[in-house]
Amino acid sequence: MAAVQWHSRSRRYEAELQSCGLEVAPVEFGDYHPLKSVTVTDSKSLRGARKGSTSSSSNSVAPDPLSSMLDGTDPLSMFASASASEPPLTLSHSSSTGDLGRGKRMEMEDEVGVNFEPWSSKRGEILARFTTTEKLSINLFMGSDKGKAPSPGSSAVSEKVRTRLEELDDLEEDSQRELLNLSQQDYVNYIEKLNQSLKEAWASDQKVKALKIVIQCSKLLSDTAVIQFYPSKFVLITDILDIFGQLVYERIWSMCSDPRSLPDSFTADVNVNDTAKKTCLNWFFKIASIRELIPRLYVEVALLKCNRFLTKCGIQETLPRLTAMIRGIGDPLVAVYARAYLCRIGMEVAPHLKDCLNKNVFDLLGTFRQIHGDSVQNQLVLQRVEIPVYLTLYSPAIHWILQCVSYRAPEPLLTEMMERCKKIGNNALLLYSVMWAFRAEFIATRATDFIGMIKDCDEAGFPKHLLFGSLGRSLACADPPEAERLPILNEAWKVITKVRSPQDYINCAEIWVEFTCRHFTKREVNTVLSDIIKHMTPDRAFEDAYAQLQSVIRKILIYFHDFSVLFSMERFLPFVDMFQKDSVRVEVCRSIMDVFIKHQQEHTRDPVILNALLHICKTMHDSVNALTLEDEKRSLALLINGFIRMVSFGRDFEQQLSFCVEARATFCNLEPVLVQLIHTVNLLAMETNRVMRGSHSHKTAAFVRACAAYSFITIPSLSSIFSRLNLYLLSGQVALANQCLFQADAFLKAAVSVLPEVPRSICIEGKLRSSEGFLLDFINNFLSALLVVPDHPEAGVLYLVRGLLNMVQDYTWEENSDAKFHVYISALPLLAAMSQETYLYSIPKVDSNETLYGGDPKFVAEINKLCETLIGHVLDHLKSLGRDESVRRQGSLAFTLFGCILAHGELRNNKLNQLSVNLWNLSHKHSYCDTRTSMQTLESIKHQAQQPGMAHISDMVQRLTLQSRT
């Protein structure tokens, strides 16, 4: 080991601090304000002014650098203005057929607004809801009249009409077939095949074939053999009709767009050429030649938008005729879905023509009695379908029709609807749809009237609890008159509580919980919860209703943020206990804790809240097992820690510590919670010392020791090695700050003893990373804390520093690592600070080594000796790096040691001075040092050399050379 003679530089910390302070510049405060705009003179305008000019100099406000970068304009505003100056982007009508449905939905949303629920959102729900296990059939045979004798007057039929009829009748042989015994999936697949055939026929310019496919598909809508599947069949067939309608429309559009694109607001008289009009008329003539009502109606509705190419009022004139055509459909289910399709297309192409929509509704009301007629009843008996199930088949169509009619409708229309419903017997289904469709505000103001109508309904076909559910949805969004709220709730709950089916009961009760929470107190909510528990507990019915029960919890938490009120409800926690499935139970507990952490503004010590939340947090904690993901553990720990941080017993510190003891036993499997508890106890110890300073000193000391014991017992249970190290250090500092020297000594010795357990790599976010950087950070923090730690009277001088350095020397570092020697260098500033007569900082009422040794020369000599040993180890390592040709690492380590000696060594000592020069030259020998850093360091040394009494530094500077890399 190389011989080195170390002497620490004598420091005067207060003088150094003053010399590093900023210079104070005098400021005239007359008109000065730091935020006031600065006025500058434009020198260019002064130079450019003519001699003798009487104009004043051009003064301007100094520009904001960010504003000047953007030339005063927000980039988003620039983009908007640029877009406004360009012609509006129009939808390309030559798009691929795959974008047809999306294009139509975009147009519809632009017309009616985003608050109108589009058909696309209902489509998937209908397909999922209306299914069947019955066998289905597809009859694609369309009879030909070629063999029939001509009817009287047939000679008067024009040749064009005869040609069209023959085109429609002359089907290809392979399409004249009937498919039987199809499963639902087979049926869907075949319809999709027809959809694809339509697109292929159109793409290959076989327009008549495409029309035949659409006609065949439309005929399927007259078949109600498997009646439960009819709504889904309607969705599948109308998808094909939508595509066909868009294909025809785009075809005619393209004929008008050559060479200039047709504007969206085009008119037939001005913008549509004769060729396009003739083509459009030809399509409508073909449709008019379809003999059967249902396919003729559906195909014409699909092409309704094409009327724009013929006359300005074409759509307006066609809608009443199509509405009247539907009156010829005898089956009420088929008729109501035909009306739904007409209303859907009508809303897309002409949402302002509400009169025709209203006529469809009034026609529906007028024919509603057919549902209970003999023909329908016989059909239901034949298919073994109950009337309540049959009525649900009408819901999607009636809902859609009423949504179209009620959209932006005036309030008197609802009054008229109610009056018409009163005149119809068995009107429960209509009443249900009316309450669903019209604005909640309109329904809420007439809530009492609706309850009267619900009472008069016959429950045989449509259960009253569904009607109250529909009413409850409206009342959850809008408030009825205040005087009517309690009677409304009482009337509704009289019906709800009598529902026998647990599933039907909870479906309705869950809706009315929000109304109860919104307008009433905990007393009413507690009554509702009690009733739900009563209905859902027998036969463990709650196990099939977790989704609804969770919804009840969410709604309560929306309106009750005061947890003292929430937990004072006797039935709330028993309600939570109904969640027996572990995953659902934990999810409910999480939702409760989320709301508590979000809305609890003040600390709490309420025993009701604490006991309840401890129970809820324990439920979350107990769900953790060996298979729980780390992300899930972290998430649960965050919620529990949020609860712990909100618990405070004020100055009852013993009670606070008792809570932490209980929490430690309760949450022992979540390490982040244990870490939080240790932090809480350390803060508690500091707060106790602050509040109780000077009074009850013995009691305070005993309590602080109890806090230290809590931490000392808890820390070893942590699996994370760095959590243990950092908490040992923190707890030792807290104990030292509270004058508990023996406890502080125990924590610091424990930290040193744990160092050998640090692995060379640790797992962070699922990836293995080197632990070396984390270990160096900890050791540096530990060294800085040792400055104020007094030596133990029985352990010898600097025993903690020596113990740490011994551990560092024995630790197995990574290969080709200089970390150990960086620790040796980091220890030098600590030892230099320990050798000062007055330390940089101290702890009140704690005698550190500056007091214990009082600058004893033996103590200083011991420090110098230890420094020389450390430097010797570093120098030996530098020599070995030179032999191993690790010159880059050698230069970096040499430069680090040079900086440390420069800052803390006494350079008046010639040997130390020469060592510094040698280290500088060694670090620059191979030009691997950062040139900029070297230049700045050299400038700093030169500046220091100019200070009084720094001749030794000036002499050293002359010997420091810089070598540039060549």
Side-chain angles (χ1 to χ4, degrees):
M1 183 185 300
V4 179
Q5 187 174 0
W6 170 268
H7 294 281
S8 300
R9 179 165 67 91
S10 179
R11 307 289 292 272
R12 297 175 59 193
Y13 293 118
E14 292 185 3
E16 290 181 23
L17 180 62
Q18 293 177 0
S19 66
C20 295
L22 297 176
E23 296 182 3
V24 179
V27 177
E28 295 292 338
F29 286 97
D31 296 327
Y32 173 78
H33 189 277
L35 300 181
K36 185 177 179 180
S37 300
V38 180
T39 302
V40 298
T41 301
D42 189 349
S43 58
K44 293 183 180 179
S45 62
L46 289 176
R47 289 195 298 269
R50 297 193 310 269
K51 286 186 178 182
S53 174
T54 58
S55 62
S56 61
S57 62
S58 174
N59 291 341
S60 62
V61 177
D64 176 9
L66 297 180
S67 299
S68 62
M69 287 292 290
L70 299 175
D71 197 22
T73 308
D74 175 16
L76 297 180
S77 302
M78 292 172 65
F79 176 76
S81 62
S83 300
S85 64
E86 297 175 359
L89 180 64
T90 59
L91 180 65
S92 171
H93 290 266
S94 59
S95 60
S96 64
T97 56
D99 295 332
L100 298 178
R102 184 169 66 253
K104 291 192 73 175
R105 288 196 297 272
M106 289 173 62
E107 292 177 10
M108 179 179 175
E109 290 174 0
D110 290 341
E111 290 287 346
V112 299
V114 294
N115 57 338
F116 184 87
E117 186 178 5
W119 176 255
S120 58
S121 66
K122 299 177 179 295
R123 181 184 178 280
E125 178 187 347
I126 295 173
L127 291 174
R129 179 181 175 189
F130 297 97
T131 59
T132 183
T133 57
E134 304 261 346
K135 293 300 180 180
L136 302 165
S137 63
I138 298 179
N139 185 354
L140 300 179
F141 177 79
M142 293 178 62
S144 174
D145 294 336
K146 284 184 179 181
K148 295 181 181 180
S151 59
S154 62
S155 59
V157 178
S158 68
E159 186 65 28
K160 287 187 176 180
V161 174
R162 183 179 294 110
T163 302
R164 294 187 188 104
L165 288 171
E166 290 175 355
E167 287 177 345
L168 294 176
D169 288 338
D170 189 19
L171 297 178
E172 297 177 4
E173 190 65 29
D174 62 351
S175 65
Q176 299 180 19
R177 56 191 301 190
E178 185 176 13
L179 303 177
L180 302 174
N181 296 322
L182 297 177
S183 68
Q184 177 180 315
Q185 189 58 48
D186 293 336
Y187 191 97
V188 172
N189 292 340
Y190 196 83
I191 295 297
E192 179 57 34
K193 182 180 177 181
L194 289 175
N195 196 344
Q196 191 62 34
S197 299
L198 167 66
K199 297 176 185 178
E200 292 173 357
W202 190 271
S204 60
D205 205 26
Q206 300 181 56
K207 305 296 189 295
V208 175
K209 180 180 179 181
L211 177 58
K212 291 175 182 179
I213 293 173
V214 173
I215 293 172
Q216 293 175 45
C217 292
S218 301
K219 286 187 65 177
L220 297 175
L221 292 174
S222 61
D223 177 20
T224 58
V226 183
I227 203 165
Q228 302 99 314
F229 187 64
Y230 191 85
S232 293
K233 181 197 295 185
F234 170 80
V235 169
L236 297 171
I237 300 301
T238 52
D239 283 349
I240 297 178
L241 288 164
D242 290 343
I243 291 176
F244 178 72
Q246 189 71 5
L247 286 170
V248 175
Y249 183 82
E250 291 190 351
R251 166 68 176 159
I252 303 173
W253 176 285
S254 65
M255 299 173 70
C256 303
S257 301
D258 188 18
R260 184 177 298 176
S261 178
L262 197 64
D264 285 337
S265 58
F266 74 90
T267 58
D269 298 336
V270 177
N271 304 102
V272 180
N273 56 46
D274 291 341
T275 303
K277 288 183 178 180
K278 289 180 181 179
T279 303
C280 187
L281 278 172
N282 189 41
W283 278 109
F284 281 113
F285 287 150
K286 282 184 170 66
I287 295 170
S289 302
I290 302 173
R291 290 186 173 85
E292 297 189 32
L293 172 61
I294 289 178
R296 183 169 72 250
L297 170 70
Y298 271 99
V299 176
E300 186 170 358
V301 172
L303 268 61
L304 180 63
K305 191 175 182 181
C306 294
N307 283 278
R308 292 186 62 193
F309 297 111
L310 298 178
T311 63
K312 182 177 182 181
C313 301
I315 296 175
Q316 186 173 358
E317 295 169 352
T318 306
L319 277 172
R321 179 173 58 81
L322 295 174
T323 300
M325 286 175 62
I326 298 175
R327 297 171 187 168
I329 301 177
D331 191 313
L333 183 64
V334 177
V336 76
Y337 275 95
R339 289 190 176 94
Y341 188 59
L342 178 58
C343 290
R344 178 158 77 83
I345 302 301
M347 282 295 288
E348 291 181 10
V349 302
H352 57 286
L353 300 177
K354 285 295 187 72
D355 289 341
C356 290
L357 296 174
N358 294 345
K359 287 180 181 179
N360 273 281
V361 175
F362 297 145
D363 283 354
L364 170 64
L365 296 177
T367 59
F368 195 73
R369 292 185 180 89
Q370 292 180 347
I371 295 177
H372 302 277
D374 292 340
S375 61
V376 172
Q377 296 300 320
N378 293 337
Q379 184 184 21
L380 297 183
V381 171
L382 184 64
Q383 297 196 33
R384 299 178 181 178
V385 176
E386 299 292 335
I387 188 67
V389 175
Y390 177 68
L391 289 177
T392 60
L393 303 178
Y394 286 80
S395 296
I398 296 178
H399 277 21
W400 179 261
I401 295 170
L402 288 174
Q403 177 184 338
C404 296
V405 171
S406 63
Y407 184 69
R408 296 175 180 169
E411 194 167 358
L413 180 61
L414 175 58
T415 304
E416 184 177 356
M417 289 284 184
M418 293 175 66
E419 293 300 323
R420 289 183 181 242
C421 285
K422 289 178 182 178
K423 298 177 183 178
I424 302 174
N426 299 318
N427 63 354
L429 175 60
L430 288 173
L431 197 60
Y432 175 80
S433 299
V434 167
M435 290 188 292
W436 179 89
F438 277 85
R439 288 176 55 186
E441 294 83 356
F442 296 169
I443 304 297
T445 56
R446 296 167 174 77
T448 302
D449 295 335
F450 275 108
I451 287 178
M453 295 176 67
I454 292 173
K455 287 181 177 180
D456 296 336
C457 287
D458 182 9
E459 196 167 5
F462 202 91
K464 288 185 179 180
H465 69 84
L466 294 180
L467 297 174
F468 274 105
S470 183
L471 177 61
R473 289 189 188 93
S474 296
L475 298 183
C477 302
D479 300 334
E482 186 173 356
E484 300 177 11
R485 293 172 186 172
L486 186 57
I488 288 172
L489 179 61
N490 289 332
E491 291 295 334
W493 212 262
K494 286 178 185 177
V495 175
I496 296 171
T497 194
K498 293 178 182 179
V499 178
R500 294 184 178 180
S501 166
Q503 195 64 42
D504 292 340
Y505 167 82
I506 192 60
N507 286 338
C508 191
E510 175 258 329
I511 296 170
W512 280 87
V513 164
E514 183 162 5
F515 177 77
T516 309
C517 295
R518 187 184 181 103
H519 299 295
F520 299 98
T521 64
K522 68 174 185 178
R523 176 175 172 271
E524 290 77 11
V525 175
N526 191 63
T527 302
V528 169
L529 292 179
S530 179
D531 193 63
I532 294 175
I533 294 172
K534 177 182 175 182
H535 279 77
M536 302 306 295
T537 301
D539 300 325
R540 300 178 68 85
F542 54 78
E543 292 182 343
D544 298 322
Y546 282 141
Q548 294 89 339
L549 295 175
Q550 281 183 275
S551 178
V552 171
I553 289 286
R554 284 194 296 269
K555 290 173 180 177
I556 293 174
L557 293 175
I558 288 173
Y559 294 96
F560 287 86
H561 297 157
D562 187 341
F563 277 72
S564 61
V565 174
L566 183 66
F567 290 130
S568 64
M569 297 183 198
E570 295 178 1
R571 311 308 294 168
F572 182 77
L573 288 179
F575 184 88
V576 174
D577 289 337
M578 280 199 300
F579 295 95
Q580 299 290 313
K581 188 177 179 180
D582 289 343
S583 60
V584 180
R585 187 182 182 90
V586 171
E587 191 62 33
V588 170
C589 293
R590 288 171 66 105
S591 64
I592 295 173
M593 294 308 303
D594 277 330
V595 174
F596 175 80
I597 293 171
K598 183 177 180 180
H599 294 283
Q600 186 72 23
Q601 301 295 327
E602 299 178 352
H603 291 87
T604 182
R605 59 185 300 173
D606 188 329
V608 174
I609 295 177
L610 296 185
N611 290 332
L613 290 182
L614 273 172
H615 171 71
I616 290 171
C617 289
K618 186 178 187 300
T619 300
M620 296 192 299
H621 168 271
D622 292 348
S623 69
V624 175
N625 54 44
L627 300 179
T628 306
L629 298 175
E630 289 300 321
D631 286 345
E632 178 71 9
K633 291 181 181 179
R634 279 194 294 267
S635 178
L636 295 176
L638 281 174
L639 294 173
I640 297 174
N641 286 344
F643 161 60
I644 291 172
R645 283 192 290 267
M646 295 307 298
V647 176
S648 174
F649 290 87
R651 294 196 174 188
D652 191 349
F653 301 123
E654 293 182 358
Q655 187 65 32
Q656 185 84 32
L657 183 59
S658 297
F659 169 80
C660 291
V661 171
E662 182 182 359
R664 179 178 61 187
T666 305
F667 309 123
C668 57
N669 290 331
L670 287 175
E671 188 161 305
V673 179
L674 297 179
V675 172
Q676 176 63 44
L677 287 170
I678 295 170
H679 283 292
T680 300
V681 169
N682 282 327
L683 289 173
L684 181 63
M686 295 300 296
E687 182 68 9
T688 303
N689 186 48
R690 184 187 67 82
V691 172
M692 306 298 290
R693 187 177 298 162
S695 59
H696 308 289
S697 57
H698 295 293
K699 185 177 181 180
T700 303
F703 182 79
V704 172
R705 287 194 293 270
C707 292
Y710 179 97
S711 299
F712 198 79
I713 293 171
T714 309
I715 292 174
S717 64
L718 304 178
S719 61
S720 170
I721 185 68
F722 284 103
S723 293
R724 277 186 279 158
L725 286 172
N726 290 318
L727 287 172
Y728 273 134
L729 176 58
L730 175 64
S731 301
Q733 291 172 312
V734 170
L736 192 64
N738 286 280
Q739 301 94 46
C740 295
L741 302 184
F742 289 103
Q743 285 74 18
D745 189 67
F747 280 118
L748 297 177
K749 285 197 294 186
V752 172
S753 66
V754 169
L755 281 177
E757 301 177 20
V758 176
R760 293 176 61 176
S761 60
I762 56 175
C763 184
I764 299 177
E765 297 181 354
K767 297 180 180 179
L768 281 178
R769 297 185 181 180
S770 171
S771 64
E772 192 171 275
F774 299 97
L775 182 56
L776 288 177
D777 287 342
F778 169 77
I779 291 175
N780 287 333
N781 290 335
F782 191 87
L783 287 170
S784 64
L786 292 182
L787 176 63
V788 292
V789 178
D791 283 339
H792 194 283
E794 299 176 359
V797 178
L798 303 177
Y799 79 101
L800 281 175
V801 178
R802 295 179 186 277
L804 175 64
L805 293 175
N806 289 336
M807 288 295 182
V808 169
Q809 184 176 9
D810 296 337
Y811 182 76
T812 305
W813 298 91
E814 295 181 13
E815 295 182 6
N816 301 321
S817 170
D818 303 322
K820 176 169 68 173
F821 302 98
H822 281 288
V823 173
Y824 291 164
I825 296 174
S826 298
L828 295 177
L830 167 67
L831 295 171
M834 284 183 166
S835 66
Q836 306 300 316
E837 293 184 2
T838 303
Y839 284 1
L840 179 60
Y841 52 88
S842 60
I843 296 177
K845 299 183 180 180
V846 174
D847 293 332
S848 54
N849 286 340
E850 64 172 332
T851 304
L852 295 180
Y853 295 108
D856 190 334
K858 293 182 180 180
F859 176 65
V860 175
E862 195 70 27
I863 291 175
N864 292 341
K865 183 179 178 181
L866 183 55
C867 291
E868 291 166 3
T869 302
L870 295 176
I871 294 175
H873 283 302
V874 175
L875 294 178
D876 289 342
H877 183 62
L878 287 173
K879 290 180 182 179
S880 66
L881 291 177
R883 289 192 298 269
D884 297 340
E885 298 184 355
S886 302
V887 291
R888 183 184 293 273
R889 290 166 53 199
Q890 183 189 55
S892 174
L893 188 63
F895 192 78
T896 303
L897 181 56
F898 167 79
C900 181
I901 294 175
L902 180 66
H904 303 283
E906 179 53 79
L907 295 180
R908 290 182 176 85
N909 183 284
N910 293 333
K911 291 185 178 181
L912 202 56
N913 192 302
Q914 184 59 46
L915 175 61
S916 300
V917 174
N918 293 342
L919 289 170
W920 171 274
N921 293 333
L922 178 61
S923 64
H924 292 77
K925 181 178 180 180
H926 299 282
S927 303
Y928 282 117
C929 272
D930 180 66
T931 304
R932 183 178 179 183
T933 304
S934 298
M935 290 292 296
Q936 291 176 343
T937 304
L938 192 58
E939 288 299 322
S940 175
I941 298 173
K942 290 178 179 179
H943 178 74
Q944 187 179 355
Q946 295 174 1
Q947 305 300 319
M950 292 294 179
H952 59 289
I953 299 294
S954 179
D955 176 64
M956 185 181 74
V957 170
Q958 304 301 322
R959 292 178 287 160
L960 301 180
T961 59
L962 275 177
Q963 296 180 6
S964 60
R965 192 180 305 175
T966 57

